[in-house]
């Protein structure tokens, strides 16, 4: 659309003499407005926004997030997406202002609004306060990066991944494919857990509540055999400790590490299933039991009899 307008505008001096004066004035004013607004404003703005999207796509191709060690990639992609949105918004606002300034009626309207901007300015300022706060929060998120794209977080009591970060809100993808949409200021004002802030590897726990007769050392050896045979263990941390003892049971805590949150969940389930199966097969007496002692009648006492109905 812009190329034909530019060609006609450049060819106009050669055919100007064949038109009437009125036609020449209309062509001059109309084509000049279209050329200035179209080529120098809309075209440049469109090209700049296209360059921003191209840069973001090139960064996404260069830094992959679907690899085990993706901390640096998530940092760069998060910064690129947020800064691209900020820059695109600024370009659209500036281009729109330049376009409006090209037409006298709209210029006069803008001047009149600015001249009577007493109460209107206060109302607009109050209304835009939250929006400006969100914009500043988005810039702060991009620079300080308390969260990044594909970070594993616990927010609002839900386990999920950061799927999208915009200037005003953040989308969290929950493990069951639900989406939680939160204002971006939530991650600056409210506490939350970020499981991949510095690294993706995690240590998980499995709690077992067993009888006092449980052979702890034997279970510790069995735990090590389980994790060494598992494809989910990263070869770093494994251990079994008795962390509590109540009037009925003892509490054993099994710990093991994995390369990321999803793998750790599978490892914890595997440890829990195989330890319980091992105890049930080899030490069924170690399962929790309720003990009751019935004392017989003492010497010279007769057993109590129930009252007949």
């Amino acid at each position: 659309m812009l190329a034909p307008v530019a060609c006609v505008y450049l060819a106009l001096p050669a055919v100007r003499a064949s038109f009437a004066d009125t036609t020449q004035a209309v062509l001059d004013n109309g084509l000049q407005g279209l050329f200035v607004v179209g080529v120098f404003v809309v075209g440049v703005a469109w090209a700049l926004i296209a360059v921003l999207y191209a840069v973001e796509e090139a960064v996404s191709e260069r830094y992959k997030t679907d690899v085990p060690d993706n901390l640096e990639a998530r940092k760069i992609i998060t910064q690129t997406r947020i800064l691209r949105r900020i820059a695109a918004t600024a370009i659209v606002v500036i281009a729109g202002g330049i376009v409006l300034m090209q037409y006298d009626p709209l210029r006069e309207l803008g001047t009149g609004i600015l001249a009577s901007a007493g109460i209107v300015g206060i109302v607009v300022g109050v209304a835009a306060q939250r929006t400006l706060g969100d914009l500043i929060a988005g810039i702060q998120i991009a620079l300080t990066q308390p969260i990044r794209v594909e970070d594993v977080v616990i927010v609002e009591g839900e386990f999920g991944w950061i799927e999208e970060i915009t200037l005003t809100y953040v989308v969290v993808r929950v493990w069951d494919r639900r989406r939680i949409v939160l204002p971006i200021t939530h991650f600056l004002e409210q506490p939350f857990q970020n499981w991949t802030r510095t690294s993706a590897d995690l240590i998980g726990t499995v709690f077992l509540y067993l009888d006092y007769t449980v052979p702890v050392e034997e279970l510790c050896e069995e735990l090590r055999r389980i994790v060494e045979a598992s494809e989910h263990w990263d070869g770093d941390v494994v251990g079994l400790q008795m962390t509590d003892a109540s009037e009925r049971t003892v509490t054993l805590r099994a710990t093991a590490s994995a390369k990321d949150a999803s793998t750790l969940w599978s490892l914890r389930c595997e440890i829990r299933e195989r330890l319980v199966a091992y105890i049930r097969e080899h030490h069924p007496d170690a399962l929790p039991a309720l003990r009751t002692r019935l004392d017989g009648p003492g010497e010279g006492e007769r057993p109590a009899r129930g009252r007949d109905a």
Side-chain angles (χ1 to χ4, degrees), residues 158-204:
E158 297 283 358
F159 171 86
W161 294 261
I162 300 294
E163 183 176 57
E164 184 180 3
I165 303 175
T166 70
L167 294 180
T168 56
Y169 64 88
V170 175
V171 179
V172 179
R173 182 180 71 254
V174 187
W175 64 274
D176 57 1
R177 299 183 181 179
R178 291 180 292 126
R179 283 358 183 230
I180 301 178
V181 181
L182 297 167
I184 197 167
T185 53
H186 177 90
F187 293 90
L188 297 177
E189 300 173 354
Q190 302 294 330
F192 65 95
Q193 297 182 37
N194 189 337
W195 287 12
T196 54
R197 181 69 180 88
T198 57
S199 63
D201 58 310
L202 296 167
I203 298 176

Side-chain angles (χ1 to χ4, degrees), residues 228-241:
E228 289 177 351
S230 174
E231 62 180 5
H232 306 300
W233 187 47
D234 63 357
D236 187 14
V237 176
V238 60
L240 182 69
Q241 295 174 314

Side-chain angles (χ1 to χ4, degrees), residues 29-65:
N29 295 332
L31 287 177
Q32 182 178 5
L34 285 174
F35 184 72
V36 172
V37 174
V39 174
F40 291 104
V41 180
V42 177
V44 171
W46 191 350
L48 290 176
I49 293 176
V51 168
L52 292 176
Y53 276 97
V55 171
E56 181 184 2
E57 184 175 354
V59 171
S60 300
E61 290 292 331
R62 173 66 178 81
Y63 297 94
K64 300 291 186 179
T65 59

Side-chain angles (χ1 to χ4, degrees), residues 18 26-27 69 148 195 247 280 282:
S18 60
V26 171
L27 289 175
D69 188 9
R148 294 176 292 265
W195 287 12
E247 67 277 6
R280 186 177 60 247
H282 297 84

Side-chain angles (χ1 to χ4, degrees), residues 201-240:
D201 58 310
L202 296 167
I203 298 176
T205 58
V206 174
F207 289 94
L208 298 174
Y209 303 93
L210 302 171
D211 191 76
Y212 274 76
T213 60
V214 61
V216 179
E217 294 183 359
E218 184 176 339
L219 280 186
C220 185
E221 295 175 359
E222 178 63 20
L223 172 63
R224 182 167 291 277
R225 285 193 293 267
I226 291 173
V227 297
E228 289 177 351
S230 174
E231 62 180 5
H232 306 300
W233 187 47
D234 63 357
D236 187 14
V237 176
V238 60
L240 182 69

Side-chain angles (χ1 to χ4, degrees), residues 50-66 70-84 145 149:
V51 168
L52 292 176
Y53 276 97
V55 171
E56 181 184 2
E57 184 175 354
V59 171
S60 300
E61 290 292 331
R62 173 66 178 81
Y63 297 94
K64 300 291 186 179
T65 59
D66 55 352
N70 59 2
L71 178 60
E72 187 67 22
R74 290 187 286 110
K75 281 184 178 181
I76 296 176
I77 289 177
T78 299
Q79 288 180 335
T80 303
R81 289 185 181 179
I82 296 179
L83 294 177
R84 189 266 301 167
Q145 292 195 342
V149 176

